[in-house]
Amino acid sequence: VELVESGGGLVETGESLRLSCAASGGTVTTYAMGWFRQAPGKQRELVAAITSDGTTAYNHFAKGRFTVSRDVAKNTVYLQMNNLKPEDTAVYYCGTSLPGRSTFDRVGDWGQGTQVTVSS
């Protein structure tokens, strides 16, 4: 599956961004789709995920601020990020689970990432 992220940018504290992850070569309902982020000097971490049946899950720092969703017709997954903070600054990636799985112990495919920078 090829994944292409977009929507990153430079925003101020408290502002919002919506990231998109367009998939080709596979459908977003076949896999669990995850949004991950990696800040400089830190490990990549899971931000939010949506399973093949549409169930969503969030890391603690994303709950109440971020929303993951998908548009099956567009084969695209989104991450709406509200009330952004400087600590949200990172490269954001989307990734797939392995087919038929709902966890990310192994990631099948990665996008190239999109930079999100939040100024204080």
Side-chain angles (χ1 to χ4, degrees):
V1 181
E2 182 178 1
L3 305 172
V4 179
E5 300 100 330
S6 60
L10 172 63
V11 297
E12 296 184 351
T13 298
E15 294 187 335
S16 299
L17 281 174
R18 188 178 80 156
L19 307 183
S20 300
C21 173
S24 59
T27 61
V28 296
T29 53
T30 300
Y31 312 89
M33 301 292 296
W35 282 100
F36 300 78
R37 70 184 187 185
Q38 187 166 19
K42 295 188 177 181
Q43 288 190 332
R44 192 172 297 189
E45 59 184 351
L46 181 64
V47 177
I50 182 166
T51 65
S52 57
D53 67 359
T55 302
T56 59
Y58 298 90
N59 204 327
H60 66 93
F61 56 79
K63 288 181 180 178
R65 298 190 299 131
F66 295 1
T67 303
V68 60
S69 62
R70 67 187 181 190
D71 184 327
V72 176
K74 294 183 178 180
N75 212 29
T76 299
V77 177
Y78 303 97
L79 183 68
Q80 176 68 42
M81 303 188 295
N82 298 328
N83 191 23
L84 283 161
K85 304 175 182 180
E87 51 263 42
D88 295 318
T89 295
V91 179
Y92 284 71
Y93 300 88
C94 65
T96 70
S97 67
L98 295 180
R101 294 186 60 84
S102 59
T103 60
F104 296 95
D105 51 319
R106 288 180 61 192
V107 173
D109 294 287
W110 291 104
Q112 84 288 352
T114 186
Q115 177 71 47
V116 171
T117 304
V118 185
S119 64
S120 57

